[in-house]
Amino acid sequence: MKIILILISLLTVNFLAADDIGSVRVSVNNRASTDYGKNESKTQEQKLAITLTNTGKASINNLSIRWTMYGHNVKDRKLVVLDSGEIKGKLDQSSTETMESTVVKIHSQREASVSSRGRGGRGGRGRTSVKKIPASGSTYYGYAVSVYDGDKLISTTYSHPSIKDQESP
């Protein structure tokens, strides 16, 4: 019985200490649109809507949200940084705010073959020529969002665990 009471009291102390510092919940929604063009081309527009909830007892006056969007290179599927940015603001105690990143446009072209038929001579049908269009550009993969109070990291969230592994030194 003593062990249970000690554990409960330790958990309560840790919870209260975290609440005094300020606890922020982060939720990220990706707002996206895609336009498919000719010959396997694609244009994506990505925007992050970042919702922060301050469950702490104090306001965060020096709030900084640092976001990074990642993609895959179409040719070799390597992870690349598409864009990144920082949003500054303030988060009052027991409040919720939604902030948005800039719109990131991503263009990609899958490998494709385009054929055309020549005019041909004397009643002939003409020769068909095929031109290969190489793969190029990037496609959207995910994001990383970090929330700071000044220089102090409060919270970090990733859309995929592999991005966390990529960001680690």
Side-chain angles (χ1 to χ4, degrees):
M1 186 67 154
K2 286 183 181 180
I3 294 174
I4 294 173
L5 289 174
I6 292 172
L7 284 175
I8 291 174
S9 65
L10 287 174
L11 291 174
T12 304
V13 168
N14 285 339
F15 177 73
L16 291 175
D19 198 37
D20 288 340
I21 294 169
S23 178
V24 175
R25 283 194 309 246
V26 180
S27 172
V28 180
N29 290 322
N30 184 15
R31 298 181 180 165
S33 66
T34 304
D35 180 35
Y36 294 92
K38 293 181 178 182
N39 302 326
E40 305 292 327
S41 69
K42 178 169 64 170
T43 301
Q44 298 172 303
E45 290 186 359
Q46 304 286 335
K47 183 184 215 179
L48 300 177
I50 305 161
T51 303
L52 305 174
T53 303
N54 185 357
T55 58
K57 294 181 180 177
S59 295
I60 301 172
N61 296 322
N62 199 7
L63 181 72
S64 175
I65 303 165
R66 297 176 192 160
W67 57 270
T68 305
M69 281 194 214
Y70 292 91
H72 279 130
N73 186 320
V74 176
K75 270 187 180 176
D76 57 12
R77 302 293 299 159
K78 288 187 178 178
L79 195 63
V80 295
V81 173
L82 298 172
D83 200 1
S84 61
E86 185 172 8
I87 305 167
K88 295 193 179 259
K90 178 181 175 184
L91 190 60
D92 294 328
Q93 68 181 21
S94 303
S95 69
T96 300
E97 295 284 334
T98 299
M99 301 174 188
E100 294 183 338
S101 70
T102 58
V103 175
V104 177
K105 288 189 177 190
I106 310 149
H107 304 284
S108 64
Q109 169 75 45
R110 290 189 348 197
E111 186 175 295
S113 297
V114 178
S115 61
S116 62
R117 185 176 299 245
R119 290 176 41 179
R122 296 190 173 159
R125 295 176 62 155
R127 178 177 274 183
T128 301
S129 63
V130 177
K131 179 181 175 185
K132 285 199 171 206
I133 299 172
S136 64
S138 300
T139 58
Y140 175 78
Y141 177 66
Y143 61 82
V145 174
S146 299
V147 180
Y148 291 85
D149 182 5
D151 291 333
K152 180 183 172 194
L153 179 64
I154 298 173
S155 180
T156 302
T157 186
Y158 304 94
S159 59
H160 301 285
S162 61
I163 293 176
K164 181 178 182 181
D165 297 341
Q166 179 74 19
E167 283 200 333
S168 300

